[in-house]
Amino acid sequence: MKLNLNIQPLHTWIKTGKEPLVIAGPCSAETEDQLVATAHLLAQTGRVSALRAGIWKPRTRPGEFEGIGSIGLEWLKRAKAETGLPTAIEVATGKHVEEALKAGVDILWVGARSTVNPFTVQEIADALKGVDIPVMVKNPVNPDLSLWIGALERINNAGITKLAAIHRGFSSYEKSAFRNEPMWDIAINLKTLAPELPLINDPSHISGNRDLIGYISQKALDLDMQGLMIESHIDPNVAWTDAKQQVTPAALADIIDHLALRKPEVRNAEVNDKLAELRNQIDKIDDLVIQKIAERMQIAEKIGNYKKDNNITILQVGRWDEILQKRTNYAKALKLSSEFTEKLLELLHSESIRKQTEIMNKNEAGQAAEKLTHV
């Protein structure tokens, strides 16, 4: 089911310039000189469409640097006046919105810690009513697509039609090379539900490491995301916040120059015919896969009835471990990733358990009803 969002195309409210769209600037506005000097260097690259900077910083623990505050808005005014770059900041309260609008900030975004709280998002939305300004909404910290969608809908319902989403990754207990797990499937699901919604990637917060920014950026563009938000500082090593994930303006330009830009569609008839042929092959295989899964579930139902008749538990851990090991090894030999195979098997196993549980409960409910008729 598609989302019913009333939004304007990205190119109508921001000059993308050279593709891809790039919004860049320091994680935090630290001093006036730092912010303005960084802005000048970014403008000189010719790759940046808007200047971002953290004015108010939500921190995990008290006592950490929580942003320079409202004075930074004056620095942004100067940076914009001297470079011509539109400005973008994060807002987390209605008061932030009011101050940003008063200072002439061009673009606002709702941060991940705010998106997770519908009360906070609604407060921001209420402050935006009657205002014509672009707003971008970052995904929530936790991997919950509904929260992300809900935040976008709240902002859109406030009358904001210049709307975009920012994919910045999700928190996870699992340790990996990334600061925040990309969980690309969630971003893809959002794009599927709202194809007209601009989706911008934040490789800085996903990677947490400047060496991975180029890799994440390329992956995002390959998935047809419309732009990038990258943290850039005149001297990242001395940055007050998130030093490891910021790059110099020169390094930013180099990253952008090495990205391969691909198009979602081409007008070459020969290429389209070949794609259509290959997709037709996939469609046939998908139909066959679904048919085989249905046959598998029919057998699972027979197993459920047999277990019921012989008083055997639904879950048999030994059997599940055997399936997982054998199928994973087989899939690996066929060059399928272990992660994909395990997820697929878990889905199949979960559905089998659900069907067998349904059979058990149905029989037990029938027996209970029969007993009541004899009371």
Side-chain angles (χ1 to χ4, degrees):
M1 182 177 178
K2 302 295 184 182
L3 292 181
N4 185 24
L5 297 175
N6 176 25
I7 58 177
Q8 299 182 39
L10 184 67
H11 68 84
T12 64
W13 53 267
I14 188 170
K15 293 180 180 179
T16 56
K18 293 183 179 180
E19 294 183 344
L21 166 69
V22 178
I23 299 171
C27 174
S28 299
E30 300 163 358
T31 67
E32 186 171 5
D33 289 343
Q34 166 255 358
L35 178 60
V36 174
T38 302
H40 275 283
L41 291 175
L42 289 171
Q44 289 169 18
T45 68
R47 303 291 189 274
V48 177
S49 295
L51 172 69
R52 58 140 290 152
I55 300 298
W56 301 283
K57 302 292 296 181
R59 311 306 294 172
T60 301
R61 301 180 64 182
E64 297 178 336
F65 177 61
E66 296 182 331
I68 204 68
S70 303
I71 190 175
L73 296 172
E74 296 301 318
W75 306 344
L76 277 175
K77 280 185 182 180
R78 177 186 163 193
K80 177 181 176 180
E82 294 183 11
T83 66
L85 289 174
T87 55
I89 68 168
E90 176 180 348
V91 291
T93 67
K95 187 174 185 296
H96 288 172
V97 173
E98 292 172 5
E99 290 193 43
L101 294 174
K102 185 178 180 180
V105 175
D106 299 287
I107 303 169
L108 307 179
W109 81 79
V110 180
R113 295 173 189 251
S114 298
T115 305
V116 79
N117 188 335
F119 291 113
T120 298
V121 177
Q122 190 58 55
E123 179 186 342
I124 295 170
D126 290 342
L128 288 167
K129 287 182 179 178
V131 177
D132 181 21
I133 189 172
V135 179
M136 303 181 293
V137 180
K138 287 196 173 186
N139 64 254
V141 174
N142 53 310
D144 188 330
L145 179 58
S146 294
L147 276 175
W148 199 1
I149 291 172
L152 288 160
E153 289 175 329
R154 289 176 188 276
I155 299 298
N156 195 221
N157 289 342
I160 298 299
T161 58
K162 298 172 182 176
L163 187 66
I166 301 176
H167 171 234
R168 49 82 76 193
F170 303 85
S171 293
S172 172
Y173 286 112
E174 297 180 6
K175 299 296 182 182
S176 74
F178 304 116
R179 176 181 178 183
N180 293 294
E181 287 298 318
M183 299 189 189
W184 299 102
D185 56 319
I186 296 179
I188 291 170
N189 286 341
L190 178 64
K191 194 167 183 62
T192 302
L193 291 171
E196 76 285 2
L197 177 70
L199 186 55
I200 296 168
N201 183 261
D202 179 347
S204 301
H205 278 90
I206 288 177
S207 66
N209 179 345
R210 63 177 66 95
D211 295 332
L212 293 173
I213 289 176
Y215 167 77
I216 295 295
S217 298
Q218 185 64 66
K219 176 76 172 179
L221 296 181
D222 289 346
L223 290 174
D224 195 28
M225 295 191 187
Q226 281 66 58
L228 305 166
M229 177 180 276
I230 300 177
E231 293 187 345
S232 180
H233 190 289
I234 191 171
D235 188 356
N237 292 326
V238 299
W240 296 1
T241 54
D242 291 345
K244 293 181 180 180
Q245 68 187 41
Q246 298 193 67
V247 295
T248 64
L252 171 72
D254 186 63
I255 289 171
I256 302 303
D257 287 344
H258 283 85
L259 294 175
L261 300 179
R262 300 179 174 94
K263 298 179 179 180
E265 297 179 356
V266 294
R267 295 183 179 180
N268 187 307
E270 183 178 349
V271 171
N272 287 328
D273 288 345
K274 184 61 178 178
L275 285 174
E277 176 189 339
L278 294 172
R279 286 166 177 163
N280 185 50
Q281 293 177 28
I282 285 179
D283 289 343
K284 291 179 179 178
I285 294 172
D286 284 347
D287 289 343
L288 183 60
V289 168
I290 291 173
Q291 177 186 332
K292 291 302 179 182
I293 290 175
E295 292 175 8
R296 187 189 193 281
M297 293 308 161
Q298 290 172 1
I299 296 173
E301 289 178 352
K302 292 179 180 179
I303 291 174
N305 283 311
Y306 189 78
K307 286 179 178 178
K308 178 262 174 186
D309 293 340
N310 292 275
N311 292 320
I312 300 173
T313 60
I314 294 174
L315 180 62
Q316 294 172 295
V317 177
R319 169 62 177 162
W320 167 240
D321 289 341
E322 178 188 353
I323 290 174
L324 194 60
Q325 183 175 358
K326 286 184 177 180
R327 300 297 186 275
T328 301
N329 289 337
Y330 181 51
K332 187 175 181 181
L334 295 175
K335 301 188 183 304
L336 294 174
S337 73
S338 297
E339 182 182 6
F340 166 77
T341 305
E342 289 178 11
K343 285 182 178 180
L344 176 60
L345 290 172
E346 285 171 0
L347 283 172
L348 292 172
H349 185 245
S350 176
E351 180 63 8
S352 295
I353 293 295
R354 187 193 68 78
K355 283 187 171 293
Q356 293 180 29
T357 301
E358 193 176 70
I359 290 169
M360 293 285 192
N361 291 341
K362 183 178 180 180
N363 289 324
E364 290 174 0
Q367 292 171 4
E370 185 178 350
K371 287 180 181 179
L372 287 173
T373 61
H374 291 88
V375 174

